[in-house]
């Protein structure tokens, strides 16, 4: 069967249809329109001084190596300096609609294991380190995979068996098993960033000196103060309008807000709290609320009584009012979830048999389960302000049905250790997982191989699949299904089974937040993150 490749039309502003098909297998979905360059804005609207300052919620940074960086203050710089073979649509983190980056086209062979990537020609590394080629791709991917590198993202490439240089502008990647999401792992994110082999061979330490191909070139780091980048006039995607981009370290929330109000910065990382959102809006700032973000769920330990009884689980689930949780956290910063797979993930559906809020029904279920006078539970909970307050709200909810919940508050690291020792009858956990599909998220929380205590343990605190039959077969089939329509159907069926067995209670998604002066135009609408790229500009 013929394989159609992703191909990039080199003319900016042209709409393109990217398809990769093998038995209706689509990896980058839909029609993608390239964003118009910033030059389309009337010159009179653009500010004369193009110096952008961003307030990051950190005291300092640890590393600027893209294969290790995980923190605020690091990620903004890395995303401005480095690129992947593919890229997210501007301002989005998604597994769909991926766009060409350092690769212009890609396809998978009939075996489902052999991927070929055609690379962009003429792309130059920063600071005179030569042209980007296939050797850089091979070096970068093998660097992440190498156990000696000890990258926290190495598991992302566990499925890659080999990387071969076909010619300077062609790379072939072979996987050990069918991996429909491979392109989504090669984006401008975590393991997917490409680094310069020549710079590494020259002894340059990426921890302190980023050498990328992106729209901004790293210039200066001032410990506990700031990082500064300059626009890359030779950038293949067009020279940035912003000439200087500085990330300022501001760990204190109030300090960042004051800096934005006073004009000392043009954008800040904002706490995802309703009061902060309201203050910034009242001050005339643009507030961006972005997702997918951390989705919080409650997971019942099926190995502990009385949680082994589905009537008890239904009673506890039915006594939780998601609307109250959303109101408590803020209607703009939180959204209710009812499905085991969060909103925004490929394969998500709300068509699941979730337990609705009903106090009287919950009381009846407890009586039927042999607990007419209620019951007592005790659990360890993190002192983190994103874990403890919502759990205290749920504690009050459960009192209405006669459930006395004792909360033993510990520090956050201790909480993570204890819940992995199977101590809690109930675990509340917030997470997001990339790629944004059903594979990783549902596998980590609900596949039997992920059950706590196993050598392959991940986040299956409920022991689903061990105590009662789980969704292993559905998830395994979906994992290797190349027909995306069938894959989505399998994930939807898995969500309905998980919901029917009431092994968890999806609660809310707490969005990410940012604030900026209306004079900062990104050139796109931030939906998942702030992407500091060549399209942004400051207006008068």
């Amino acid at each position: 069967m013929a394989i159609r490749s992703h191909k990039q039309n080199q003319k900016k502003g042209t709409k393109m249809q990217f398809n990769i098909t093998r038995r209706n297998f689509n990896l980058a979905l839909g029609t993608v329109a390239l964003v118009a360059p910033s030059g389309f804005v009337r010159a009179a609207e653009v500010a004369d001084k193009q110096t952008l300052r961003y307030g990051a919620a950190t005291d300092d940074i640890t590393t600027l190596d893209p294969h290790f960086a995980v923190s605020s203050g690091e990620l903004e710089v890395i995303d401005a300096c480095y690129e992947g073979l593919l890229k997210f649509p501007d301002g989005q983190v998604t597994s769909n609609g991926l766009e060409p980056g350092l690769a212009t086209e890609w396809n998978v062979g009939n075996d489902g294991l052999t991927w070929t990537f055609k690379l962009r020609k003429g792309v130059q590394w920063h600071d005179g380190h030569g042209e980007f080629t296939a050797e850089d791709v091979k070096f970068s991917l093998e660097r992440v995979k190498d156990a000696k590198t000890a990258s926290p993202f190495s598991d992302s490439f566990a499925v890659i068996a080999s990387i071969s240089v076909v010619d300077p502008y062609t790379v072939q990647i072979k996987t050990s098993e069918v991996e429909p999401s491979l392109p989504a792992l090669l984006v401008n994110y975590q393991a997917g960033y490409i680094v310069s082999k020549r710079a590494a061979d020259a002894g340059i330490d990426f921890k302190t000196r980023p050498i990328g191909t992106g729209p901004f070139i790293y210039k200066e780091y001032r410990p506990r103060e700031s990082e500064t980048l300059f626009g890359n006039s030779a950038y293949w995607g067009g020279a940035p309008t912003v000439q200087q981009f500085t990330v300022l370290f501001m760990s204190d929330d109030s300090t960042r807000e004051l800096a934005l109000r006073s004009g000392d910065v043009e954008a800040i990382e904002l706490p995802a709290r309703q009061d902060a959102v309201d203050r910034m809006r009242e001050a005339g700032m643009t507030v961006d609320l972005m997702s997918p973000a951390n989705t919080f769920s409650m997971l019942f330990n099926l190995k502990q009584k009385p949680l082994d009884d589905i009537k008890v689980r239904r009673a506890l689930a039915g006594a939780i009012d998601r609307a109250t949780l959303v109101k408590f956290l803020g209607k703009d910063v939180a959204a209710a979830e009812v499905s085991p797979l969060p909103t925004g993930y490929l394969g998500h559906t709300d068509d699941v048999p979730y337990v609705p809020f009903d106090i009287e029904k919950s009381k009846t279920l407890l009586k039927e389960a042999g607990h007419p006078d209620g019951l007592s539970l005790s659990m360890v909970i993190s002192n983190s302000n994103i874990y403890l307050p919502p759990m205290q709200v749920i504690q009050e909810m459960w009192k209405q049905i006669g459930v006395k919940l004792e909360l033993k508050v510990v520090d956050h690291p201790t909480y993570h250790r204890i819940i992995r020792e199977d101590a809690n009858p109930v675990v509340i956990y917030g997470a997001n997982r990339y790629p944004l599909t059903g594979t990783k998220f549902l596998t980590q929380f609900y596949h039997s191989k992920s059950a706590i205590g196993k050598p392959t343990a991940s986040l299956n605190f409920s022991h689903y699949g061990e105590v009662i039959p789980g969704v292993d077969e559905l998830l395994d089939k979906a994992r290797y299904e190349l027909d995306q329509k069938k894959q989505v159907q399998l994930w939807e069926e898995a969500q309905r089974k998980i919901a029917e067995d009431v092994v968890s209670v999806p609660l809310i998604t707490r969005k990410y937040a940012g604030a900026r002066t209306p004079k900062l135009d990104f050139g796109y609408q931030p939906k998942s993150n702030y992407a500091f790229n060549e399209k942004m500009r400051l207006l008068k």
Side-chain angles (χ1 to χ4, degrees):
M1 182 176 294
I3 309 299
R4 275 184 283 171
S5 305
H6 291 258
K7 292 188 176 182
Q8 182 189 28
N9 187 320
Q10 299 297 322
K11 296 181 180 180
K12 293 185 178 180
T14 303
K15 289 187 176 181
M16 303 168 290
Q17 178 74 33
F18 298 126
N19 289 312
I20 204 171
T21 58
R22 182 174 185 264
R23 298 197 303 272
N24 297 321
F25 170 38
N26 295 308
L27 284 174
L29 302 177
T31 301
V32 180
L34 290 181
V35 177
S38 58
F40 283 19
V41 174
R42 288 185 290 113
E45 295 180 349
V46 179
D48 295 331
K49 185 178 182 181
Q50 291 292 322
T51 298
L52 175 61
R53 298 157 298 182
Y54 174 75
T58 184
D59 283 325
D60 208 343
I61 60 170
T62 301
T63 181
L64 291 173
D65 189 322
H67 297 150
F68 289 86
V70 295
S71 302
S72 175
E74 300 170 351
L75 301 180
E76 294 84 359
V77 168
I78 285 167
D79 200 45
C81 291
Y82 287 100
E83 299 178 286
L85 294 183
L86 284 68
K87 68 183 291 290
F88 294 127
D90 292 327
Q92 296 185 53
V93 176
T94 177
S95 296
N96 297 334
L98 300 177
E99 300 175 359
L102 292 175
T104 57
E105 56 182 282
W106 56 99
N107 60 62
V108 61
N110 287 326
D111 60 0
L113 304 173
T114 306
W115 293 81
T116 302
F117 293 82
K118 293 292 185 179
L119 306 183
R120 192 177 300 277
K121 297 180 180 179
V123 176
Q124 298 297 312
W125 289 105
H126 298 166
D127 295 346
H129 285 280
E131 185 183 10
F132 157 76
T133 69
E135 291 290 349
D136 298 306
V137 177
K138 177 178 172 64
F139 171 77
S140 298
L141 304 190
E142 290 181 345
R143 181 177 189 255
V144 174
K145 278 180 59 67
D146 191 346
K148 294 180 181 178
T149 305
S151 168
F153 313 129
S154 60
D155 286 350
S156 297
F157 291 160
V159 72
I160 294 180
S162 65
I163 305 112
S164 302
V165 173
V166 178
D167 60 50
Y169 305 107
T170 309
V171 174
Q172 190 173 86
I173 298 175
K174 290 197 173 184
T175 58
S176 56
E177 57 191 41
V178 174
E179 177 49 271
S181 296
L182 183 68
L185 300 175
L186 299 173
V187 294
N188 50 324
Y189 182 74
Q190 295 185 342
Y193 288 112
I194 304 301
V195 300
S196 168
K197 181 179 185 300
R198 182 178 295 181
D201 290 343
I204 290 178
D205 186 357
F206 297 139
K207 181 178 180 179
T208 57
R209 186 66 185 179
I211 301 293
T213 58
F216 288 89
I217 299 173
Y218 189 80
K219 289 299 180 184
E220 182 183 38
Y221 163 61
R222 294 185 178 182
R224 301 185 66 82
E225 183 180 327
S226 66
E227 306 154 289
T228 299
L229 300 84
F230 291 160
N232 180 7
S233 59
Y235 181 53
W236 63 265
T241 300
V242 169
Q243 298 169 357
Q244 180 174 312
F245 172 40
T246 299
V247 176
L248 297 163
F249 307 146
M250 298 178 172
S251 60
D252 182 73
D253 295 343
S254 298
T255 299
R256 292 197 307 281
E257 285 191 32
L258 181 61
L260 184 58
R261 287 171 179 268
S262 63
D264 291 333
V265 297
E266 284 71 42
I268 62 171
E269 187 174 345
L270 189 67
R273 298 196 315 265
Q274 192 66 46
D275 62 324
V277 169
D278 291 342
R279 281 196 304 272
M280 287 291 93
R281 285 175 174 166
E282 290 170 3
M285 301 302 169
T286 299
V287 174
D288 300 295
L289 296 167
M290 301 166 281
S291 61
N294 273 0
T295 295
F296 291 83
S297 298
M298 180 169 291
L299 300 109
F300 298 126
N301 191 331
L302 304 178
K303 282 191 171 183
Q304 293 195 24
K305 291 184 177 298
L307 284 310
D308 59 336
D309 188 336
I310 192 170
K311 288 186 177 180
V312 172
R313 299 197 301 273
R314 285 186 178 278
L316 294 174
I320 296 176
D321 182 11
R322 293 174 177 83
T324 297
L325 284 173
V326 169
K327 184 178 180 180
F328 174 77
L329 293 172
K331 60 181 177 61
D332 292 330
V333 301
E337 297 282 353
V338 297
S339 175
L341 186 63
T343 304
Y345 284 63
L346 179 64
H348 163 83
T349 179
D350 280 337
D351 182 19
V352 296
Y354 73 94
V355 182
F357 175 59
D358 190 330
I359 293 295
E360 294 306 315
K361 178 64 175 178
S362 290
K363 289 179 179 178
T364 300
L365 285 168
L366 280 183
K367 289 179 182 179
E368 293 176 356
H371 306 281
D373 300 321
L375 55 86
S376 296
L377 295 173
S378 176
M379 66 177 287
V380 169
I381 186 67
S382 168
N383 63 0
S384 165
N385 62 9
I386 64 172
Y387 277 87
L388 181 57
M391 200 63 226
Q392 289 172 326
V393 174
I394 293 172
Q395 180 186 40
E396 291 301 313
M397 292 176 181
W398 283 355
K399 281 184 180 179
Q400 298 180 68
I401 62 170
V403 174
K404 298 178 181 178
L405 176 64
E406 179 188 10
L407 297 178
K408 299 178 179 178
V409 182
V410 298
D411 62 76
H412 198 58
T414 300
Y415 175 70
H416 276 281
R417 174 179 60 79
I418 291 176
I419 61 177
R420 286 167 173 79
E421 294 173 355
D422 240 2
N424 269 12
V426 175
V427 170
I428 185 171
Y429 201 93
N432 65 70
R433 293 293 182 268
Y434 186 83
L436 300 177
T437 70
T439 292
K440 182 175 284 189
F441 198 96
L442 293 178
T443 297
Q444 288 191 350
F445 282 98
Y446 301 105
H447 198 291
S448 64
K449 73 178 183 181
S450 302
I452 298 301
K454 287 192 173 184
T456 54
S458 183
L459 300 170
N460 186 351
F461 301 106
S462 66
H463 294 275
Y464 195 44
E466 287 186 321
V467 178
I468 59 177
V471 294
D472 291 6
E473 184 178 359
L474 292 171
L475 296 181
D476 289 341
K477 284 183 179 179
R479 169 74 174 78
Y480 301 109
E481 180 55 66
L482 292 178
D483 185 326
Q484 193 172 84
K485 184 177 180 180
K486 292 180 180 178
Q487 187 181 46
V488 167
Q489 290 173 345
L490 289 165
W491 283 328
E492 289 177 347
E493 188 177 347
Q495 290 166 77
R496 284 188 279 269
K497 178 165 179 52
I498 294 166
E500 184 177 357
D501 289 333
V502 199
V503 296
S504 67
V505 185
L507 300 171
I508 55 99
T509 290
R510 190 172 187 176
K511 301 175 183 178
Y512 298 127
R516 56 189 163 105
T517 169
K519 294 181 180 180
L520 171 55
D521 178 13
F522 277 116
Y524 60 86
Q525 177 59 46
K527 295 181 179 179
S528 304
N529 67 342
Y530 280 170
F532 296 101
N533 60 28
E534 76 282 4
K535 297 181 178 70
M536 61 188 182
R537 65 268 190 178
L538 293 168
L539 305 179
K540 290 184 178 179

